[in-house]
Amino acid sequence: MESAVAASPSAQQMEQFKKLPKAQQEALAKKYGLDLGSLKTNSTTSNEPELPKETIQPRILDEADEIEEKFKPQLEKLKPFGYELFAGNPTTFMPTELAAIPDTYLVGVGDVIKINFYGKMNQEHELKIDREGRLLIPELSPIGVVGLQFQELKELVKAKVSKEMIGVQAFISMGTLNPMRIMIVGEAYKPGSYTVSPLATVTHALFVAGGVNETGSLRSIQVKRAGKLVTKFDLYDLLLFGDSSNDVVLKPGDVVFIPPAAKRITVKGEVNRQAIFELKETDSIDSVIAMSGGFKASAQTSKVAVSRYNGDGKRITLNYDFANNTNYKPNNGDEIKVNATSSRLQNTITLVGAVTSPGHYQWQPNKTVRDVFSSPREDLLSLADYSYSLVVREANLEGDIEVIQFSLEDVVIKKNHNVELRSNDIIVVFSRYALIEDEQSLLSDLAYNEEQLKLRENIRLWKKYEKDEFLNYIGLQVEEDLEEKESINSISALFEVNDEIKDNEHAVFSRHNLLSPIIAKLQKQSSATEPAKLFAVNGKVKFPGVYPLPKLANFEKVVNASGGLLESAYLENVELTRIDFEGSDKVQHLQFNAVDELEAPTHEIVSKDTINIFPKPHWQERLEVEVIGEVSFPGTYTIRRGETLESLLERAGGFSKFAHKNGAIFTRESIKIKEASQLQKLTQDLRRDIVTNSFQKNSATSANLSYSDMDKILKDLSKVEALGRLLIDLDNVSTQTLQLEDGDALYVPPMQDSVSVIGEVNVVSTHIYDANKDVKSYLAASGGLKQKADDDRIYIIKANGSVVIPHGHNSWFAVNSKSNLLSPGDTIVVPLDTQHLDSLTLWSTATQIIYQLGLAAASLNSLSSK
């Protein structure tokens, strides 16, 4: 199998690189994205040992153009097998004289024989065989030893010593061996005459000659002695099977002849060894398989492609079955390609979702869902939904899917129905929870032992591995929705509570997570003539939404898919909306009784149907309101629809004697949503105004305030939370008849005997309320106004949240009597004169705005803590 790899310059290439002209070095480095400085550094700091001077140097190219070609990233090509083993490596098969001398070694002129005498005399002699082939032993006559084997020499010397030197024994060993000369010719990398050790074999000869050229044969290496063929050495025996029996020891004057390779074959694909192999006449299919190291587990041996030249010189492709006995005969030039089998699982069913052991299992004919879940308590998680499960099945060769819906309760528990499985079916078991918080809560309560903790770990692993495998098996990856939540920007959104669930909040095996890829696949495979097999359920069901349309769908399957009917569901009138793609009436609305339909189905659910489950008339969920503070019985009260504030106060026992009714705070959720939208709009308007003013001359914001400061102000303003306060007067009859809503809250603070002064005064302070004091008196008690105060726009925030202005003739919401201008709990606000706005005061003003908006919230928090 060929793969693309980036070329990396070797040490030899770097040596050639350094020999190039500087301009060519820079051009090469720029062309291939190399750091010229690092290349030079690496080349000068290399710790590789130098090769011996007499060692054959590695094979390198001499031409600069050829070096450039090697620097280029290229496809890794198959190489002839075995040639790199001896090429340019000075340590491989290095002959050594420390090895044991074989008894068959023929001693020759120049060899050194070591003789140790012991007994009557202890002496050691190193004796060299002279040119006449004699061994001269002291005190003994010369012995002719040339041509003898080492074992024969030892016996001869021992016998002579024992005979001529009474009481003395001899120990004989070989010393230094005399080098010999051999010839290496033919397709060697460096043919010639070489001096080698007398223990050298054929492989040693290949080493000293730098190996074999790629045109040479590794399987017919010949050893000739005196013109006669001594042996043939097949190097594949050594490389493939470790057989060195024909690696004979050479003798002086031997010739190692390497002929050209006659036949070659290429093997690639799903084999353990991809390469170009040399062929012999006796090679068969078994030989080829052995050369390639055998097939990989993924090999498709029944359909092996063989490309070869026919008798007309044309290249053709043939297919052979290597799995069985084949008539394939290797030919010169054949290229064998072993393809990989399909990674698609066969005879398999897959379990996904709320099961104890998700994954792949064996499929057999007549296998059913009941066979898979034979022990429900052991096979299913405690959070499994027994009313709704799916079998996802391939419908055709194009990979389209169809869905079969079933109930685990009917199939496994009641055994009323069963589903026969097919190969490659996927069984999806859902959780009966929608939120991960609820799912984890159940698992935490049940996880007491190691086995149950392991089930929790399986759920965690689903997110990392099983989910991706499930999506791949379906054949579709669903991209996650990463869009940020939009702000409230429509009128209808003002009256809706944003209860959208984020992706990471859904239960692991919820319908949302497991159905998303299935629905996406069904939508993708739809066409103009075949609408998407989906239906929708809206209204009072546990899990409203879009679901896959199963075979033989009816209202019961709709109810099971959506998790069941809610308590508030109106069963006497269910509406089915159907789109007629062929009839004249494009949209049909059908009504039926849910109870009757469940008992005796009359309506088949088809593609694009929408089932609406309406709430019961005048149905209301539990409505709750809260009363905090100075009442006789504060707490949370359940109310009926239409109940008034007066009724609630009576149930709460009325006000205590310390109640400050004028300072009461009433909050409502619907008002809070409106205020949140208004705050967003104000922030956007302020941002737009700042940008507009930044282009105007003499603008305080543009001259003195940086963009980062403005951005911080806007962010602080955007963080202000809406309170949802409704101004009320508890002594007013209209307030008493105020109809309550779910989530309303009434906060009655204790009596306050103070008046606060904030804003542009010298000392922001709170004073004891005095009915004889007016606004000016409180301002004077706070140190008077600052220089930048706007004394024409001073206003009062009353304890009940309303605003009045002391200068009544300038405002439509002013009061006319000074006697009721101030009361306990009021706050006098002195604003900043905007003409003096600069960087520092803008920060002060923004902070003051935030403080004022938080006054009521702080009051609520103090009451809640009580």
Side-chain angles (χ1 to χ4, degrees), residues 356-497:
T356 55
S357 299
H360 306 301
Y361 293 87
Q362 180 184 3
W363 171 83
Q364 295 175 343
N366 302 322
K367 191 167 188 175
T368 64
V369 170
R370 193 176 302 155
D371 297 331
V372 175
F373 302 109
S374 57
S375 301
R377 291 187 180 275
E378 288 75 22
D379 298 332
L380 298 168
L381 295 180
S382 55
L383 49 81
D385 188 342
Y386 279 77
S387 63
Y388 182 59
S389 298
L390 297 178
V391 172
V392 181
R393 176 174 296 168
E394 282 193 351
N396 51 41
L397 296 178
E398 296 179 356
D400 294 342
I401 62 172
E402 60 184 13
V403 175
I404 300 173
Q405 180 179 329
F406 66 93
S407 167
L408 284 170
E409 183 177 5
D410 288 343
V411 172
V412 180
I413 307 301
K414 297 180 180 179
K415 298 183 179 181
N416 293 334
H417 303 90
N418 206 348
V419 179
E420 184 173 342
L421 300 173
R422 296 181 185 175
S423 178
N424 297 330
D425 278 355
I426 304 176
I427 302 176
V428 186
V429 179
F430 298 91
S431 169
R432 63 177 182 271
Y433 297 101
L435 299 179
I436 194 171
E437 180 180 359
D438 299 333
E439 194 173 78
Q440 290 179 344
S441 176
L442 174 68
L443 293 174
S444 298
D445 294 340
L446 294 179
Y448 295 119
N449 53 44
E450 183 177 354
E451 181 180 356
Q452 290 166 337
L453 288 172
K454 183 179 179 181
L455 299 184
R456 296 176 63 190
E457 181 68 11
N458 286 345
I459 294 178
R460 187 185 67 82
L461 291 176
W462 159 266
K463 295 182 178 180
K464 293 185 177 181
Y465 173 72
E466 297 290 348
K467 182 178 180 181
D468 292 337
E469 189 164 289
F470 169 58
L471 294 177
N472 291 332
Y473 202 80
I474 289 293
L476 188 69
Q477 277 282 10
V478 181
E479 297 182 358
E480 295 183 358
D481 184 11
L482 301 179
E483 295 183 359
E484 295 182 358
K485 183 172 65 176
E486 296 182 356
S487 59
I488 298 174
N489 53 12
S490 65
I491 299 240
S492 59
L494 296 178
F495 303 96
E496 297 177 358
V497 178

Side-chain angles (χ1 to χ4, degrees), residues 754-769 773-787 789 794-795 822 826-830:
S754 61
V755 174
S756 299
V757 181
I758 63 173
E760 294 303 309
V761 292
N762 289 315
V763 180
V764 176
S765 55
T766 301
H767 308 273
I768 297 176
Y769 172 74
K773 289 185 178 181
D774 56 8
V775 174
K776 292 183 178 179
S777 301
Y778 285 109
L779 292 176
S782 297
L785 303 179
K786 290 184 179 179
Q787 181 179 0
I794 296 174
Y795 59 91
L822 288 172
D826 290 354
T827 300
I828 303 172
V829 182
V830 181

Side-chain angles (χ1 to χ4, degrees), residues 90-126:
T91 60
T92 305
F93 296 119
M94 178 64 72
T96 175
E97 297 182 359
L98 297 179
I101 304 300
D103 291 338
T104 57
Y105 173 72
L106 298 178
V107 297
V109 176
D111 286 347
V112 176
I113 308 298
K114 291 183 178 182
I115 302 177
N116 291 76
F117 294 130
Y118 59 94
K120 284 185 178 182
M121 57 184 298
N122 293 320
Q123 294 179 0
E124 180 179 347
H125 301 281
E126 289 190 2

Side-chain angles (χ1 to χ4, degrees), residues 577-582 585-588 606-609:
T577 301
R578 176 169 296 170
I579 301 176
D580 188 356
F581 295 95
E582 299 179 357
D585 190 2
K586 295 296 182 181
V587 180
Q588 302 178 14
V606 299
S607 178
K608 298 294 185 179
D609 277 0

Side-chain angles (χ1 to χ4, degrees), residues 216-439:
S217 172
L218 297 183
R219 309 199 64 183
S220 298
I221 300 174
Q222 303 174 14
V223 178
K224 296 185 177 182
R225 187 171 299 155
K228 296 182 180 180
L229 181 63
V230 176
T231 185
K232 284 187 177 181
F233 181 39
D234 188 346
L235 196 57
Y236 276 21
D237 291 339
L238 175 64
L239 299 179
L240 297 177
F241 311 109
D243 182 6
S244 61
S245 58
N246 288 328
D247 189 15
V248 298
V249 177
L250 301 175
K251 293 185 178 181
D254 281 357
V255 177
V256 178
F257 174 66
I258 305 173
K263 297 182 179 181
R264 283 181 172 172
I265 188 172
T266 301
V267 182
K268 60 183 180 179
E270 297 301 303
V271 292
N272 293 313
R273 186 186 297 116
Q274 300 184 86
I276 301 173
F277 299 97
E278 184 180 348
L279 285 178
K280 296 175 71 174
E281 292 295 336
T282 57
D283 282 335
S284 63
I285 178 60
D286 295 331
S287 304
V288 173
I289 295 175
M291 292 177 193
S292 61
F295 300 111
K296 293 183 178 179
S298 57
Q300 189 178 26
T301 56
S302 61
K303 295 181 181 179
V304 176
V306 177
S307 176
R308 66 166 44 160
Y309 292 100
N310 62 7
D312 299 332
K314 297 180 180 179
R315 198 159 185 83
I316 61 175
T317 299
L318 304 174
N319 288 332
Y320 289 93
D321 184 1
F322 281 15
N324 303 309
N325 293 329
T326 179
N327 57 355
Y328 171 72
K329 175 67 177 176
N331 284 358
N332 184 29
D334 280 2
E335 181 177 293
I336 300 176
K337 176 65 178 295
V338 182
N339 296 310
T341 59
S342 173
S343 59
R344 178 181 177 83
L345 296 173
Q346 301 295 331
N347 295 332
T348 302
I349 59 173
T350 305
L351 300 187
V352 172
V355 295
T356 55
S357 299
H360 306 301
Y361 293 87
Q362 180 184 3
W363 171 83
Q364 295 175 343
N366 302 322
K367 191 167 188 175
T368 64
V369 170
R370 193 176 302 155
D371 297 331
V372 175
F373 302 109
S374 57
S375 301
R377 291 187 180 275
E378 288 75 22
D379 298 332
L380 298 168
L381 295 180
S382 55
L383 49 81
D385 188 342
Y386 279 77
S387 63
Y388 182 59
S389 298
L390 297 178
V391 172
V392 181
R393 176 174 296 168
E394 282 193 351
N396 51 41
L397 296 178
E398 296 179 356
D400 294 342
I401 62 172
E402 60 184 13
V403 175
I404 300 173
Q405 180 179 329
F406 66 93
S407 167
L408 284 170
E409 183 177 5
D410 288 343
V411 172
V412 180
I413 307 301
K414 297 180 180 179
K415 298 183 179 181
N416 293 334
H417 303 90
N418 206 348
V419 179
E420 184 173 342
L421 300 173
R422 296 181 185 175
S423 178
N424 297 330
D425 278 355
I426 304 176
I427 302 176
V428 186
V429 179
F430 298 91
S431 169
R432 63 177 182 271
Y433 297 101
L435 299 179
I436 194 171
E437 180 180 359
D438 299 333
E439 194 173 78

